Amino acid sequence: MIQDRALTKVIKSERTAGLSPDFNSRLMNRVCLESQKQTKRSSVLGLCAISGASLSLISLAIYLLKDYLTFSFHLPVFLLSRESLALYGFSFYIAFLIFILVTLDNYFRHKRMIKKQDNPA
Amino acid sequence: MENTDEIIYIKRILEGEVVLFSYFVERYSRPIHTLIIRIIPTKEDAEELTQDTFLKAYRKLDTFKGDCTFSTWLYRIAYNTAVSATRKKKIVFRGLEDYNLEAISDEAVDLLLDKEDDENLLQRLDSAIDKLNVEDKTLITLYYLEEKPISEVAAVLELTPDNVKVKLFRARKKLFVLINS
């Protein structure tokens, strides 16, 4: 049927001036805006989902502790003797040391990442 | 091969490389606009609908399964967008269903639609196409302008290939009636 030369000629002839010259760039701007909207929407949805899940877990925990389980909490008693103070001091020293090491690790990782981004090769 | 490239592009767009969508815009904006302007003759409306088609395609890109070519999928969106617009704008197309199209011989139609040097005929043919309904216009545009195979035209219009063949023959006869009326 492709031999319908008159029909093919009419259909293929340019009837109008076509699209405006900046059509593609305008469209791409709208597509980029749409993409930003989608990202924002998905992050808001994610946040809502996490908040919902957390709230339901907390409510479940409260419900279970209040109505199902009947035990009372006893906080440990802190004895401030000479020996215990030395033990607390040592624990704080170890915690401080870990804190320093983790901070340094994070600092050097960050520095390395920036260096990698500047020189991808 | 082309379709494989397009699927790779789609995958990358879905992974966040939005700029790659410009490849599809550059490649298909003109043919999509040509199809839409055949259905909605106002230049501004056709341009807006072309833009809507691409935005819809971008929003639904994750639903493209690759069971047909990207162009077929895009043409289907364009066709549905244009049909919705004709309903909203209440554009009415002349019905030719009352004519006894079976009585028109295929030879007469073949002969008329083959006269490519008759300027008067070409003008009448152009206005006759405008008077066809949306489905017939889409059918003719896709088949003659895009030279798409019957199977792809059928996929765009969500018809069977046999149905498309019958409708194409009938559309040609409708054009014959409109030119001679």
Side-chain angles (χ1 to χ4, degrees):
Chain A
M1 217 186 293
I2 204 78
Q3 76 269 21
D4 293 340
R5 281 175 292 190
L7 191 51
T8 311
K9 195 172 178 180
V10 169
I11 288 282
K12 284 193 174 173
S13 64
E14 196 65 47
R15 287 189 351 146
T16 57
L19 290 163
S20 45
D22 62 337
F23 176 82
N24 289 1
S25 58
R26 271 192 294 124
L27 178 57
M28 278 314 291
N29 281 341
R30 283 195 67 181
V31 167
C32 288
L33 279 176
E34 184 62 34
S35 143
Q36 284 169 2
K37 253 192 224 171
Q38 274 183 354
T39 315
K40 214 173 172 181
R41 207 178 301 145
S42 63
S43 65
V44 167
L45 275 174
L47 206 68
C48 286
I50 288 173
S51 310
S54 310
L55 276 174
S56 54
L57 278 174
I58 291 167
S59 352
L60 185 73
I62 290 170
Y63 174 70
L64 284 174
L65 286 173
K66 213 179 153 197
D67 294 338
Y68 266 76
L69 307 168
T70 47
F71 62 84
S72 55
F73 293 103
H74 295 287
L75 286 169
V77 183
F78 287 95
L79 293 169
L80 289 170
S81 62
R82 212 172 168 177
E83 283 167 11
S84 63
L85 272 174
L87 204 65
Y88 290 143
F90 179 70
S91 305
F92 277 116
Y93 167 69
I94 295 293
F96 180 70
L97 214 63
I98 290 169
F99 175 73
I100 294 286
L101 285 172
V102 168
T103 313
L104 280 173
D105 177 68
N106 183 45
Y107 171 74
F108 285 118
R109 270 175 201 274
H110 187 69
K111 214 174 169 183
R112 198 176 156 201
M113 212 168 74
I114 290 171
K115 208 173 171 183
K116 223 175 181 180
Q117 275 173 357
D118 290 343
N119 307 310
Chain B
M1 186 69 186
E2 214 168 68
N3 200 33
T4 321
D5 284 349
E6 292 191 338
I7 287 170
I8 292 167
Y9 274 15
I10 290 166
K11 217 173 167 184
R12 286 175 65 185
I13 293 165
L14 289 172
E15 280 165 3
E17 289 183 72
V18 187
V19 193
L20 286 179
F21 195 72
S22 62
Y23 164 79
F24 295 110
V25 173
E26 299 269 340
R27 193 182 163 131
Y28 295 113
S29 58
R30 228 176 117 90
I32 291 290
H33 180 254
T34 311
L35 172 70
I36 290 175
I37 208 156
R38 276 273 166 211
I39 301 167
I40 308 280
T42 326
K43 188 184 180 293
E44 290 76 23
D45 289 343
E47 195 164 312
E48 207 180 304
L49 289 173
T50 309
Q51 201 169 65
D52 286 352
T53 302
F54 279 98
L55 283 173
K56 275 183 194 169
Y58 178 73
R59 282 187 204 121
K60 292 179 182 174
L61 206 57
D62 56 334
T63 63
F64 176 70
K65 293 181 192 89
D67 49 357
C68 60
T69 61
F70 182 78
S71 70
T72 305
W73 186 72
L74 198 62
Y75 275 117
R76 201 183 301 157
I77 296 174
Y79 172 68
N80 291 333
T81 309
V83 169
S84 305
T86 56
R87 282 192 200 128
K88 271 184 206 161
K89 290 177 192 295
K90 291 177 182 161
I91 299 172
V92 182
F93 296 95
R94 188 179 162 184
L96 286 168
E97 310 310 319
D98 297 339
Y99 282 90
N100 184 14
L101 297 175
E102 304 307 318
I104 301 161
S105 76
D106 290 338
E107 290 76 27
V109 178
D110 287 346
L111 207 68
L112 186 78
L113 296 181
D114 217 27
K115 289 179 187 167
E116 63 171 332
D117 299 323
D118 187 344
E119 281 301 320
N120 183 34
L121 173 79
L122 295 180
Q123 274 179 12
R124 280 188 290 152
L125 190 55
D126 195 30
S127 56
I129 295 167
D130 283 340
K131 287 172 191 155
L132 290 175
N133 66 35
V134 179
E135 198 176 58
D136 289 340
K137 274 183 194 178
T138 310
L139 206 78
I140 283 178
T141 309
L142 291 175
Y143 189 74
Y144 291 97
L145 177 76
E146 296 300 316
E147 292 177 15
K148 285 209 169 274
I150 294 283
S151 58
E152 278 198 42
V153 178
V156 173
L157 296 172
E158 289 171 334
L159 298 168
T160 61
D162 288 338
N163 216 334
V164 168
K165 278 181 201 166
V166 172
K167 278 178 184 282
L168 204 55
F169 269 99
R170 285 182 69 80
R172 290 168 77 246
K173 285 187 177 179
K174 282 179 192 175
L175 285 174
F176 182 86
V177 171
L178 286 165
I179 290 167
N180 292 310
S181 62

